[in-house]
Amino acid sequence: MTQILALDIAGNPFRWLDIDRAIRYVATGKVAWSLGADPMRFFGGTQRATGLRSELDVPPVIALAKSEGMVRHARPIPLGDDNDPLFRRDRHMCAYCGGVFGKRDLTRDHIMPKARGGRDVWGNVVTACRICNNVRKGCRTPEEAGMPLLFVPYEPCVFEGFLLVGRNVLADQMEYLAARLPRHSRVLAA
Ligand SMILES: [Zn+2]
């Protein structure tokens, strides 16, 4: 399902919108500026006076008018229960053996195990294959298990976070967010 990337007026990602919501923003003039050469065109009903069908172009990236107050919402994406954003941050690579796996063979590993007070936050979790996590590492730290991390976990910035949770991200949206990623980001690294 296509989503529209909504920004605040300063260009910070605000929310992924479903199409219906985006159409409402465009139709009611709540868009301050927009990006994307290839808007999606939607048709409404026929106007009685003119006999013409109304039409509306919805750009892939829209900045909402009167959104100055939203800037405070542009904070990093929380680490939820869904593992997809974590696996995407780590490019589906196990942090211990370096293998690249499908979703079914991957787990969320807590570097400092939860049972020992490790927190469920971006900075304490990495993608690990089932064997490395459940069989080899178990309830130990990487040091105790003799399993050094192949890469360092980090909290995605807001731009990276939107890429990680986006579904079917369009080219213009990808371009906007990717241009603002920090250098350490691995999300789009080749
Ligand atoms: Zn592994």
Side-chain angles (χ1 to χ4, degrees):
M1 191 181 60
T2 301
Q3 294 175 299
I4 300 302
L5 178 60
L7 311 173
D8 67 27
I9 201 148
N12 299 299
F14 173 60
R15 188 172 287 166
W16 285 109
L17 300 176
D18 60 41
I19 286 289
D20 287 346
R21 190 121 185 241
I23 287 175
R24 278 204 296 279
Y25 278 120
V26 174
T28 55
K30 298 219 168 68
V31 175
W33 49 272
S34 63
L35 294 171
D38 204 12
M40 275 165 281
R41 177 157 292 185
F42 295 92
F43 294 96
T46 307
Q47 291 165 304
R48 207 175 293 169
T50 61
L52 296 173
R53 267 184 107 185
S54 62
E55 54 186 50
L56 193 72
D57 287 339
V58 178
V61 182
I62 59 176
L64 303 180
K66 303 204 170 123
S67 57
E68 291 84 349
M70 293 174 181
V71 174
R72 64 179 178 276
H73 296 298
R75 53 176 69 127
I77 299 281
L79 176 68
D81 293 330
D82 180 7
N83 279 331
D84 274 355
L86 171 66
F87 296 164
R88 289 163 82 175
R89 181 196 70 177
D90 296 343
R91 297 171 57 210
H92 291 79
M93 181 186 283
C94 172
Y96 298 105
C97 68
V100 174
F101 298 90
K103 224 174 122 168
R104 291 168 40 171
D105 295 314
L106 292 174
T107 62
R108 175 186 303 197
D109 175 58
H110 293 82
I111 298 168
M112 172 57 77
K114 265 176 112 173
R116 295 167 57 183
R119 290 172 60 210
D120 195 31
V121 294
W122 285 108
N124 189 47
V125 295
V126 285
T127 299
C129 73
R130 290 191 184 280
I131 292 178
C132 283
N133 191 359
N134 301 334
V135 180
R136 296 193 184 123
K137 179 169 178 277
C139 201
R140 297 180 292 178
T141 65
E143 290 74 21
E144 290 166 353
M147 297 168 68
L149 287 165
L150 298 179
F151 51 81
V152 180
Y154 63 94
E155 178 173 26
C157 73
V158 64
F159 297 99
E160 188 168 18
F162 270 72
L163 269 181
L164 292 174
V165 301
R167 307 273 172 211
N168 305 320
V169 178
L170 300 173
D172 288 314
Q173 299 164 344
M174 173 77 79
E175 191 183 332
Y176 183 83
L177 294 168
R180 289 156 181 83
L181 296 182
R183 258 189 217 170
H184 66 252
S185 171
R186 284 193 309 272
V187 173
L188 299 177

